[in-house]
Amino acid sequence: MSKIIFLDVDGTLIDYEAKCPASAKEAVDKARAAGNKVYICTGCSKAEILQRDLPELDGMIGGNGAYVEDEGKVVMHQGLSAEDTRKIVDWCNEHHLGFYLESNEGMFCNDYMIEQGPEVMVKYAQGKGASLEDASASSQMFLSQMIHLKGDDLYRDDVNKISFILSSYQDHLDSKKDFPELVANTWGGKGEHALYGDLGPTGITKKHAIDVLLKHLNADQKDTISFGDAKIDLSMFELCDYNVAMGNGGKEIKEAADYITADVNDDGLYKAFEHLHLMG
């Protein structure tokens, strides 16, 4: 019986230096050749994904569920309203927080992101096991993908979600209080330590997006398998029939998993595909 496979990207399909291991590409290629469908299910927007060296896929879920694509066809796209974006931009600037707007057209950042981003992205990569040299290179590459905007140019109407640097965890708590109509998450750092907060539209989750895609495919939930490494991936686990946590993941995702892989850097994804007989 063919399966529908959902892969988180950062820390799952690619490592924390934004590199996709050759073994992971081989696993995806073999799984698709065996008749399975493989989709990424990520917090990244399409513009960021297009800059990654990933294997061929059947489609993607982006923006933590704001965007669903199958075989090049847009199945769903529900981002922030222009008014919500304006309010978040103003809020972040008032709090002196670096942020970037995640749009399918690109990643657009403010002045504070240029100042604060390099140090925070180095912490992110080091927390996931990268050396200082590799973390610095990864940080530079990530920030080089961003488009620096000022003033009213940041008030866009095509934003899936907004990620912002946390000066402390209180910034996340404040965002939940100040934007109760939106969904607030955190991400980054070692284990479940938060470096970033993000805000997205209500009702948009990886779980909801997978449900939308399954209905589009006329597919059965019992044929789904998900792979993730962080708390944000728990919503995938709520819907999918079988769930795999990466060995480099946090405690909560491992506790919720049916199976735990070796670390992504040790061919973990390939070995998991092999264990689940997904490659024919």
Side-chain angles (χ1 to χ4, degrees):
M1 178 67 69
S2 62
K3 299 294 183 180
I4 304 172
I5 303 163
F6 296 97
L7 302 174
D8 171 55
V9 175
D10 294 293
T12 300
L13 180 57
I14 67 175
D15 62 26
Y16 293 107
E17 297 170 40
K19 297 174 184 176
C20 184
S23 62
K25 292 182 180 180
E26 183 181 357
V28 170
D29 290 343
K30 286 183 175 180
R32 295 181 73 231
N36 302 294
K37 286 183 173 289
V38 183
Y39 298 83
I40 52 172
C41 190
T42 175
C44 301
S45 293
K46 187 171 183 179
E48 187 176 354
I49 290 301
L50 291 175
Q51 299 181 54
R52 303 289 181 86
D53 180 25
L54 301 183
E56 289 290 325
L57 299 157
D58 292 285
M60 70 170 289
I61 291 171
N64 283 336
Y67 180 77
V68 181
E69 180 179 297
D70 175 49
E71 301 290 353
K73 177 182 177 181
V74 178
V75 177
M76 182 189 77
H77 190 190
Q78 183 180 337
L80 292 165
S81 70
E83 181 62 21
D84 283 336
T85 296
R86 175 183 289 269
K87 289 178 180 177
I88 299 168
V89 165
D90 290 345
W91 183 87
C92 288
N93 281 329
E94 288 167 4
H95 287 74
H96 307 290
L97 302 176
F99 69 82
Y100 61 99
L101 314 176
E102 300 185 39
S103 161
N104 287 343
E105 300 303 316
M107 296 186 293
F108 306 95
C109 71
N110 67 341
D111 293 341
Y112 294 119
M113 188 68 194
I114 299 298
E115 298 170 10
Q116 302 164 6
E119 179 182 355
V120 174
M121 291 311 300
V122 167
K123 286 182 180 178
Y124 172 76
Q126 283 188 301
K128 301 303 183 180
S131 66
L132 177 59
E133 181 181 0
D134 288 340
S136 297
S138 175
S139 172
Q140 291 174 8
M141 183 184 70
F142 180 73
L143 292 166
S144 71
Q145 298 171 355
M146 295 189 180
I147 301 167
H148 182 199
L149 298 180
K150 293 176 176 287
D152 292 352
D153 289 339
L154 286 161
Y155 297 146
R156 297 180 63 92
D157 62 1
D158 61 350
V159 177
N160 294 330
K161 66 184 180 74
I162 299 177
S163 287
F164 55 91
I165 292 171
L166 299 173
S167 62
S168 73
Y169 194 75
Q170 187 60 46
D171 291 326
H172 166 60
L173 299 178
D174 289 344
S175 75
K176 292 181 69 174
K177 175 176 65 71
D178 294 341
F179 299 97
E181 72 281 9
L182 301 177
V183 174
N185 293 301
T186 62
W187 60 275
K190 187 174 183 179
E192 301 297 351
H193 177 69
L195 292 174
Y196 282 87
D198 68 42
L199 289 163
T202 301
I204 295 302
T205 64
K206 291 185 175 185
K207 175 182 177 180
H208 174 257
I210 291 173
D211 187 49
V212 168
L213 180 59
L214 291 179
K215 289 175 180 175
H216 167 75
L217 296 172
N218 195 28
D220 199 312
Q221 177 183 347
K222 67 180 177 60
D223 296 322
T224 57
I225 301 175
S226 71
F227 291 71
D229 73 312
K231 284 194 292 187
I232 193 67
D233 300 319
L234 289 172
S235 69
M236 286 198 299
F237 282 24
E238 291 175 14
L239 181 68
C240 291
D241 185 67
Y242 193 89
N243 302 294
V244 179
M246 303 303 291
N248 47 272
K251 178 181 177 182
E252 289 186 53
I253 198 76
K254 289 179 179 178
E255 289 177 346
D258 297 296
Y259 179 76
I260 301 173
T261 77
D263 188 274
V264 65
N265 296 316
D266 295 325
D267 298 332
L269 198 69
Y270 186 94
K271 292 174 182 176
F273 272 44
E274 194 172 49
H275 173 79
L276 296 171
H277 306 291
L278 296 174
M279 297 185 291

